[in-house]
Amino acid sequence: MKSLATPNPPTSSLIRRRPNLPVLLLVSRQTRRCPIRTRPLRVSCNHRSNDNGHQAEQKPQQQQQQQQRKAYPFEEIEPRWQRYWEENSTFRTPDDVDTSKPKFYVLDMFPYPSGAGLHVGHPLGYTATDILSRYKRMQGFNVLHPMGWDAFGLPAEQYAIEVCFAFYCGTHPKVTTMRNIERFRSQLKSLGFSYDWDREISTTEPNYYKWTQWIFLQLLKRGLAYQAEVPVNWCPALGTVLANEEVIDGLSERGGHPVLRKQPMRQWMLKITAYADRLLEDLDDLNWPESIKEMQRNWIGRSEGAEIQFHVLGSDGKDHDVKLSVYTTRPDTIFGATYLVVAPEHSSLSSLVSEPQRRCVEEYVELASRKSDLERTELQKEKTGVFSGSYTRNPASGESIPIWVADYVLGSYGTGAIMAVPAHDSRDHEFAVKYGIPVCTVVTPVDGSRNDLGEPYLGDGVIINSSNLNAGLNINGLFCKDAASNVIHWAESTGHGKKKVNYKLRDWLFARQRYWGEPFPVIFLDDTGERVALPESELPVTLPELDDFTPTGTGEPPLAKAVSWVKTVDPSSGKPATRETNTMPQWAGSCWYYLRFMDPKNSESLVDKEKEKYWSPVDIYIGGAEHSVLHLLYARFWHKVLFDIGVVSTEEPFQCLINQGIILGQVMRSGDYYVLKDNPSIRLTARAHKMSKSRGNVINPDDVVSEFGADSLRLYEMFMGPLRDSKTWSTSGIEGVHRFLGRVWRLIVGSPLHTGLYKDGTVSVDEQPNFEQLRFLHKCIAKVTEEIEGTRFNTGISAMMEFTNAAYKWENLPKSIVEPFVLLLSPFAPHMAEELWFRLGHSSTLAYEPFPKAKDEYLKDTSIVLPVQINGKMRGTILVDEVCSEDEAFRIASEDEKLSKYIDGLTIKKRIYVPGRILNVILEQQKVGKR
């Protein structure tokens, strides 16, 4: 067996050699030997580091407070075990695993490495995945638990621009990104997460985004990537267009900047709509939160209806060749259409507007461009519009009806035009009443109960007022569903329309006018303008170095500044060509990163087929609900394309999804308002606020680890409440968890010496446990196992607290009880557990020790109430097991607060014990009299 080098010993202030402790050589990860500790642990250190990394003397009062708050010597334990795990690659998943063993792929949504670093909200999901990873390793699974960085895109680039350019340093995004990654990695390692750091990836590395570009080429080959002139969401502050999914309430998802609707620009699009039905149907089989599945269903927005053609009328009132297509889910109400509405961005709007109305329409279109889609379609919003000056003919009724322009209709939905039926649609009714447009009722309830025309009737019923023999259509007396079918048949047979399935989902706008992103592997021939996809041998197309990478603000991408890079030649023909200067959005790299973790160093393919087949799909994926229609929808789309071309073996990437809750900043009441506890000058609009740097309520995990230790932070984040719920941070809460870990430490190690040091080893004894001890242990094992499996980590911790409380009452602590308990604790508090395992005499890490299994014989509730007599007189009862021994029953009675006063200090003559019936303690009579 090949040996590894002995690790660097801890600093001399923390360690000294003791001749009576044998030196353990570190060997390969198969044996996973433990690090050396050659002196008793201290309760606390006498120094601390200041912000500059220098040692600062503490005042006596500070030392005393620090010693009181530190319930166990975590500041020595945790760095030692983190160093050991790293030096021995304890959590490395081999490239070639034993595929006969079960696998468990648990994944975090990898972070944007921002300059602010982590706050205590970030480790919530990371701790959950780490507990599951450690638990599954101990169950014999091959575990894949990787970490990487979503480092391209707006967050990293905007940080470089806003922070670095503010100080005139002009630091390149690559430099700031690498610096931020180093900080994030250091923070994550300080929390003891069992990531396989050998698989670390970053979306900004050329050997990674080579394959992002390769996927784009496959999309291009299959017609799923194309260029089109489309209206776009333009963010002036960010200097780029944004996809619909990146605009929230009229503001950019990144940074919260105002977003305008801009006239068509030539953009790269991905045809996600081609996969709309599969994206919708396959949701049913996923173990995802129903709320997330419903959000995707609504975003895809599948509906069935009809596309109807309306002829535009000329000034002479006759039909012209110009037609308007409208999409409707209620073709049965066509006779009730009293006007048409086109969206302000409709492609034919200019030709529809009469000259007298042109100025009014143009002003209205400009105002509408400043609103988000959500603002325009909000039901509570007052409807606005302007008459186009033109008319159309209702093909069913034959009547001339006006064409209006209104922003409650979106150009991105359906055809960008609707037939308005004010008698049976709330928005249409409100608009018609406001502008004096006729209302024609064409649906009445089956029972004929409705006669109030003051409000629109939205339900089903029987069709009325819907007949035109000249048009060849009569649907009077039909139920709505039958009438709709008849109208569709009539439209198709007369050329007035057709049956249509529609989606709210739009094709993915895939180009960004920013620098920090993946270049497109596409060039344009200078002489013809022909688009040419670069051959795969030319990948990766790397980013050029730019001193000025700020957005131009005009729509011209920053890459256009790299003139020598932009001008190139076609590798096939040798003709002069120009590179595409847009870059891909940040979502590109995150669409497939989970696949690269399976095979991160493969230079020949995106992922090895056998490795992908073994590891796919991701078993548990944990992250925030804010990615429901961004990353999660995009990743599912790309995965299905990769499935279709044979790269992956599953139809879906993530089998189980868990959304962790958010950690809220701690608040307090100040008069009539709530304010941040740590910064009362900040007044809140609600009692609970998500942690955010901008709100000033961020708690740095580094500070928490320094004061309480990483295990305390991990345990507290899991103990705050159910994983999926939001919680409020409480400093007193983490103090309580820290005290619990201190109790566990003292229970097993013992109290410190007067010097502040702890003895070697533990206070456990090599004795057989009694039935009560075994019962408490196995009930704890059963509960912790059940709660880990159900991701109810808070109640699993409660079970360990109950065990600890019970163990403190025992006269001795059998080693065979302690060891399983330490293994139960290890997924939650791995540093302390490793230290205790070592003190119990083990020479290898517990990371791969079998997780304890509960035995049924100790789980049965066999407790009975046993009456206790003193000299034949009933004095009370005790709770014992039905097979309890006489000695055990007497011990429990003598420890009972009520019964002990009759026994303490007196001579026992004899004991009479009938199992399950009674315990009678006979005392010396004379002593009873004195008592």
Side-chain angles (χ1 to χ4, degrees), residues 487-498:
V487 171
I488 292 173
H489 176 74
W490 166 82
E492 291 179 333
S493 62
T494 59
H496 288 300
K498 59 184 177 180

Side-chain angles (χ1 to χ4, degrees), residues 576-593:
T578 301
R579 294 189 189 274
E580 170 64 76
T581 54
N582 285 292
T583 54
M584 299 183 197
Q586 70 190 66
W587 310 105
S590 64
C591 275
W592 70 279
Y593 75 107

Side-chain angles (χ1 to χ4, degrees), residues 734-750:
I734 195 169
E735 288 174 349
V737 169
H738 184 63
R739 286 194 298 271
F740 161 67
L741 288 176
R743 294 191 76 220
V744 171
W745 177 262
R746 293 189 300 276
L747 172 70
I748 299 173
V749 175

Side-chain angles (χ1 to χ4, degrees), residues 29 91-99 142-144 196 198-199 596-602 608 610-612 614-615:
R29 69 183 291 271
F91 306 113
R92 181 178 179 273
T93 304
D95 292 331
D96 298 313
V97 298
D98 179 2
T99 56
N142 288 326
V143 173
L144 183 57
D196 179 359
D198 287 347
R199 293 176 182 260
R596 194 60 177 175
F597 279 138
M598 301 175 186
D599 195 15
K601 297 178 175 61
N602 193 331
D608 178 81
E610 292 303 314
K611 291 178 180 178
E612 184 279 328
Y614 176 72
W615 287 113

Side-chain angles (χ1 to χ4, degrees), residues 39-239:
R39 78 166 192 81
L41 289 169
R42 295 183 180 277
V43 177
S44 62
C45 299
N46 293 325
H47 298 82
R48 61 180 174 88
S49 294
N50 60 21
D51 293 340
N52 297 320
H54 302 299
Q55 297 298 320
E57 292 293 336
Q58 289 184 322
K59 297 178 181 180
Q61 184 179 2
Q62 290 176 321
Q63 289 180 334
Q64 184 178 3
Q65 291 175 347
Q66 189 180 51
Q67 290 174 355
Q68 289 174 347
R69 299 192 77 169
K70 290 184 176 177
Y72 67 100
F74 62 83
E75 73 282 1
E76 297 186 30
I77 295 171
E78 293 179 352
R80 175 166 55 251
W81 285 102
Q82 290 166 15
R83 185 167 58 248
Y84 166 76
W85 293 329
E86 184 164 358
E87 290 173 351
N88 289 270
S89 298
T90 301
F91 306 113
R92 181 178 179 273
T93 304
D95 292 331
D96 298 313
V97 298
D98 179 2
T99 56
S100 66
K101 295 173 61 177
K103 66 92 178 179
F104 184 69
Y105 186 179
V106 58
L107 185 65
D108 299 292
M109 290 185 183
F110 66 169
Y112 311 119
S114 70
L118 299 175
H119 61 64
V120 294
H122 291 110
L124 182 64
Y126 302 157
T127 303
T129 59
D130 196 59
I131 291 171
L132 293 169
S133 298
R134 291 175 178 273
Y135 169 70
K136 288 293 185 178
R137 284 192 197 96
M138 298 172 77
Q139 286 194 319
F141 283 71
N142 288 326
V143 173
L144 183 57
H145 187 210
M147 176 50 70
W149 317 105
D150 189 10
F152 258 146
L154 286 173
E157 184 177 353
Q158 201 65 14
Y159 174 79
I161 292 172
E162 294 175 356
V163 177
C164 296
F165 273 94
F167 294 98
Y168 304 100
C169 60
T171 306
H172 196 277
K174 182 176 181 179
V175 176
T176 57
T177 297
M178 292 305 298
R179 184 188 304 148
N180 296 342
I181 286 175
E182 290 290 337
R183 174 164 169 74
F184 266 64
R185 187 191 300 114
S186 174
Q187 288 183 297
L188 292 175
K189 287 185 175 181
S190 75
L191 293 170
F193 296 134
S194 60
Y195 294 122
D196 179 359
W197 287 106
D198 287 347
R199 293 176 182 260
E200 180 183 3
I201 60 175
S202 170
T203 57
T204 63
E205 295 300 321
N207 60 3
Y208 179 86
Y209 69 74
K210 166 186 177 179
W211 298 105
T212 307
Q213 293 172 339
W214 181 87
I215 295 173
F216 177 81
L217 289 178
Q218 312 315 306
L219 293 166
L220 192 61
K221 288 177 185 176
R222 288 156 180 81
L224 296 172
Y226 64 96
Q227 284 188 301
E229 294 280 343
V230 293
V232 297
N233 301 307
W234 176 257
C235 180
L238 297 177

Side-chain angles (χ1 to χ4, degrees), residues 666-784:
Q666 194 169 0
V667 301
M668 66 180 185
R669 193 172 186 88
S670 177
D672 295 331
Y673 301 97
Y674 287 94
V675 298
L676 294 178
K677 187 172 183 179
D678 295 333
N679 189 352
S681 64
I682 298 179
R683 182 184 296 176
L684 305 180
T685 56
R687 289 193 62 176
H689 262 270
K690 180 180 179 180
M691 284 196 177
S692 164
K693 186 178 180 182
S694 63
R695 294 190 182 109
N697 62 346
V698 167
I699 296 173
N700 191 328
D702 298 349
D703 298 333
V704 180
V705 170
S706 175
E707 188 170 3
F708 298 103
D711 283 345
S712 294
L713 176 58
R714 292 167 59 108
L715 215 64
Y716 175 58
E717 296 222 347
M718 296 297 96
F719 190 61
M720 292 172 74
L723 176 64
R724 296 161 178 80
D725 292 357
S726 296
K727 310 99 177 166
T728 302
W729 180 268
S730 169
T731 302
S732 61
I734 195 169
E735 288 174 349
V737 169
H738 184 63
R739 286 194 298 271
F740 161 67
L741 288 176
R743 294 191 76 220
V744 171
W745 177 262
R746 293 189 300 276
L747 172 70
I748 299 173
V749 175
S751 299
L753 302 172
H754 69 280
T755 59
L757 304 179
Y758 288 94
K759 292 181 179 179
D760 288 335
T762 68
V763 299
S764 63
V765 296
D766 291 322
E767 295 182 5
Q768 289 298 315
N770 59 42
F771 185 86
E772 180 191 13
Q773 291 170 328
L774 288 168
R775 186 177 61 183
F776 270 107
L777 171 66
H778 285 273
K779 283 189 173 183
C780 185
I781 292 173
K783 184 65 173 176
V784 172

